[in-house]
Amino acid sequence: MSISYLIQESLPNCSPSEQQIARFVLEHPAEAMRLSISDLAASAHVSTAAITRLCKRIHVSSFNTLKLLLAKDVYSPEKGEVFLPDFNFETNAPMEAIASTLIQTAIGNFQNVGKLLNETTLFDTVSVILHSRSVHIYGIGASAVAAMDLQQKLTRLGILSTFHQESHMQLTAATTLTPADLFFAFSYSGETKEILAPVQIAKENGVKVAAVTRVGGNSLSKLADFIFCIPDTESLSRHGATISRMNQLLVIDVLYTALITRDMEQSIENIARTGKVVASHRQNNGQNDVF
């Protein structure tokens, strides 16, 4: 996870004092990582409390952890620029321009998803999934595409999971959850009321919540126990989810692969068995495509 990129993406959601310290850290990372919290506060003309609040906003456990992550960025052998996508196509844009822009945007965003991934969060979530009674997956609109993909993948691994796209069923299902279950929510904005309502119910029942949402802090991330942040690359009033949807799917692929590696032999066996059953069904119906 690149802490510099995480801070940069979180800037719009920070308070003025948090923005002040964030900009100082971004402009002087090598200096910031060597200062005490009081010296850094003095250099940035903010209070130490503002630094603590910034750490909480970007989900860093302590100031010392922030300095360690800054050191990783400062001494990283690769220094890439933050990719800012642009979807302002001209009228009747040629296919080559459309395809090239979208491909380059996807490449840049996938790299940034990698910077935001947190190893501890990933493997803690894997452990909870493997030890849960069931995984209940929630998402509506474009986020439902990612939710369905996760449910399909967990099913192939033999992990009991459910997905309800209809909002009343989501509320009903959340009411029946217990601490033995896991609630997995998808919402790019993190403010979708149809998702926040069942999350609140699940939390009241003592259920752990994992969430895939945009970086920077939002209502969903404040409720979640495990947060998978994706780049804040699309306006909330966007014409349709494109890159944000692909970012969610990439996070699922990383999680799916991590689950497979925890028990490779059993996972491969389950994938092969499910694939064989579906392939056999298709052959019986005269379809030749491979599952």
Side-chain angles (χ1 to χ4, degrees):
M1 178 180 67
S2 169
I3 193 64
S4 297
Y5 178 73
L6 182 57
I7 293 172
Q8 181 67 52
E9 288 287 285
S10 301
L11 264 176
N13 301 288
C14 291
S15 67
S17 60
E18 291 168 359
Q19 288 183 353
Q20 200 165 326
I21 185 63
R23 290 194 176 95
F24 182 90
V25 169
L26 291 172
E27 293 170 7
H28 312 282
E31 179 182 352
M33 74 181 196
R34 293 183 174 91
L35 296 175
S36 67
I37 189 169
S38 56
D39 288 340
L40 180 56
S43 297
H45 307 292
V46 299
S47 66
T48 56
I51 298 175
T52 301
R53 290 196 300 271
L54 176 63
C55 290
K56 289 182 178 179
R57 183 175 296 280
I58 60 177
H59 310 296
V60 171
S61 59
S62 67
F63 176 65
N64 285 334
T65 301
L66 174 65
K67 293 205 295 182
L68 288 172
L69 293 172
L70 278 174
K72 286 180 65 177
D73 276 7
V74 169
Y75 295 114
S76 171
E78 297 182 17
K79 290 290 182 180
E81 296 183 0
V82 175
F83 189 88
L84 298 176
D86 181 8
F87 289 99
N88 295 321
F89 294 108
E90 296 180 358
T91 303
N92 297 320
M95 184 205 73
E96 183 179 353
I98 295 172
S100 176
T101 299
L102 290 175
I103 290 169
Q104 291 304 314
T105 298
I107 291 172
N109 271 272
F110 282 178
Q111 291 171 341
N112 289 335
V113 169
K115 294 176 184 178
L116 291 172
L117 283 172
N118 182 288
E119 184 174 10
T120 300
T121 298
L122 174 65
F123 289 111
D124 283 352
T125 304
V126 166
S127 179
V128 171
I129 289 175
L130 293 176
H131 293 91
S132 292
R133 179 183 68 172
S134 62
V135 181
H136 292 253
I137 307 167
Y138 295 72
I140 64 171
S143 292
V145 176
M148 285 187 284
D149 187 57
L150 177 60
Q151 203 254 339
Q152 189 263 0
K153 284 180 166 60
L154 293 182
T155 301
R156 293 207 67 186
L157 295 179
I159 296 171
L160 180 61
S161 60
T162 62
F163 167 65
H164 301 291
Q165 190 169 0
E166 200 274 323
S167 59
H168 288 183
M169 279 301 299
Q170 290 179 346
L171 290 168
T172 302
T175 304
T176 66
L177 299 183
T178 74
D181 303 302
L182 174 66
F183 188 113
F184 208 116
F186 292 85
S187 173
Y188 174 67
S189 70
E191 303 295 342
T192 307
K193 63 180 182 180
E194 291 88 351
I195 297 299
L196 293 176
V199 169
Q200 291 277 13
I201 294 172
K203 293 295 290 184
E204 291 170 3
N205 290 341
V207 180
K208 294 289 185 183
V209 174
V212 179
T213 187
R214 65 191 172 102
V215 69
N218 52 57
S219 298
L220 178 57
S221 65
K222 291 175 183 177
L223 292 169
D225 300 284
F226 310 104
I227 306 166
F228 293 88
C229 292
I230 59 175
D232 187 1
T233 54
E234 293 177 349
S235 167
L236 298 185
S237 59
R238 61 200 187 278
H239 64 278
T242 53
I243 297 302
S244 62
R245 183 192 66 249
M246 289 190 281
N247 288 341
Q248 288 180 328
L249 292 171
L250 177 59
V251 169
I252 293 169
D253 286 344
V254 172
L255 179 62
Y256 178 57
T257 303
L259 283 164
I260 291 173
T261 63
R262 297 306 92 178
D263 189 349
M264 189 79 76
E265 185 176 346
Q266 185 62 55
S267 296
I268 297 300
E269 180 182 341
N270 287 339
I271 292 170
R273 287 171 56 203
T274 56
K276 183 178 179 180
V277 168
V278 174
S280 175
H281 174 77
R282 287 180 170 175
Q283 290 172 0
N284 291 337
N285 286 278
Q287 301 177 21
N288 296 320
D289 50 328
V290 178
F291 181 67

